[in-house]
Amino acid sequence: MLAVFDRSVAKSPEGLRSPAAAAEGGGGGVRLLLEQFAAAHEGAVTIHLGSSAGAMAFSDGKQNPFLPRLFAVTNDIFCLFQGHIENITLLKQQYGLGKTANEAIIVIEAYRTLRDRGPFPASQVVRDLNGKFAFVLFDISSKSTFIAADADGSVPFFWGTDSEDHLVLSDDVEVVKKGCGKSYAPFPKGCFFTTSGGLQSFEHPMNEVKAMPRVDSEGQICGATYKVDVEAKKETGMPRVGSSANWSSQY
């Protein structure tokens, strides 16, 4: 799976860009990233999200049978999902979904519930997904993203910043490397990212997430990794959103 977002939709966190980014070049924009993904994944399907948003790409070829890839669209909400959810039956009941609903549909419905009614903090909703997973969701109506990886980092999942400041996410590290040079890192496990809220930990929602410098085998500083700062607490808790509020503007 691949997702490329314009900075107006998903601004890369500070530290993800390598200090050597200006000198190393790389990038090429959305078109080149999609071409590279298609070349590496036969039968890839590409979805353009609009000129000012970005694009997604999906392929079910050469996938791990224990961590399958899924793609779903509902009411202009797009979701790329890889992995599996163990408590899927319980979540279907919780969100009022039919027996045929898969993990990608569950993530979409969880997001819609947060956006429209906000009965729980976003951190709790992601924490309630028991399993091995990584997902990328994009809501066209609000131009909002919702991205997460499980607490163990079970699914290969990477993100980076290309030369045009696009946020790039994929399970294919080589595609991210080609598009972002050294400005990439593994997506932080146990964390979620939203357009307005940035990167947060769903395991420790009251703690700050801190960028940690990452050095490659050649001794060069790459895009930072992010870890929960156990000593740094947020000034305020995560707000609960009323039914009249827009969830995407709160997180």
Side-chain angles (χ1 to χ4, degrees):
M1 60 182 181
L2 171 70
V4 187
F5 296 116
D6 185 83
R7 65 176 301 170
S8 63
V9 171
K11 185 178 179 181
S12 300
E14 294 211 17
L16 191 55
R17 177 174 290 282
S18 164
E24 70 182 354
V30 177
R31 180 183 59 80
L32 184 57
L33 280 160
L34 293 174
E35 289 177 354
Q36 291 171 342
F37 184 83
H41 299 273
E42 185 177 353
V45 176
T46 300
I47 305 98
H48 291 277
L49 304 172
S51 58
S52 61
M56 288 178 161
F58 168 80
S59 172
D60 59 4
K62 298 180 181 179
Q63 61 180 324
N64 182 337
F66 298 104
L67 299 172
R69 303 186 198 102
L70 299 169
F71 173 69
V73 184
T74 301
N75 296 328
D76 288 332
I77 302 174
F78 296 76
C79 182
L80 295 168
F81 184 99
Q82 183 169 357
H84 66 86
I85 295 174
E86 295 172 358
N87 60 331
I88 189 169
T89 301
L90 177 63
L91 292 173
K92 287 178 184 179
Q93 294 173 349
Q94 178 177 328
Y95 292 112
L97 296 169
K99 293 182 179 180
T100 59
N102 60 25
E103 284 89 343
I105 295 294
I106 287 173
V107 170
I108 289 175
E109 193 59 34
Y111 166 80
R112 289 179 60 189
T113 301
L114 285 166
R115 183 193 66 183
D116 300 338
R117 301 195 296 275
F120 309 110
S123 57
Q124 180 179 334
V125 172
V126 183
R127 195 163 55 244
D128 285 345
L129 304 177
N130 299 330
K132 300 179 179 181
F133 63 84
F135 66 78
V136 181
L137 178 148
F138 179 70
D139 180 356
I140 284 184
S141 64
S142 61
K143 290 189 176 180
S144 299
T145 61
F146 185 26
I147 303 158
D150 70 57
D152 297 321
S154 308
V155 176
F157 194 40
F158 305 88
W159 66 342
T161 305
D162 73 1
S163 61
E164 299 181 3
D165 282 337
H166 294 111
L167 183 64
V168 181
L169 304 109
S170 181
D171 62 330
D172 188 332
V173 66
E174 295 303 321
V175 170
V176 180
K177 282 182 180 180
K178 288 178 181 178
C180 304
K182 295 187 181 299
S183 298
Y184 84 97
F187 189 87
K189 60 185 180 181
C191 289
F192 69 101
F193 177 92
T194 62
T195 292
S196 57
L199 184 66
Q200 302 174 60
S201 168
F202 63 78
E203 287 195 291
H204 307 281
M206 298 303 296
N207 292 81
E208 298 287 351
V209 180
K210 185 178 180 180
M212 307 291 291
R214 185 169 66 93
V215 179
D216 66 11
S217 59
E218 299 174 353
Q220 295 185 335
I221 299 178
C222 302
T225 56
Y226 294 82
K227 298 184 182 298
V228 174
D229 189 335
V230 296
E231 298 181 356
K233 296 285 187 178
K234 295 180 180 179
E235 293 184 3
T236 58
M238 299 178 71
R240 295 174 73 95
V241 182
S243 59
S244 61
N246 182 347
W247 172 82
S248 63
S249 68
Q250 300 292 324
Y251 297 99

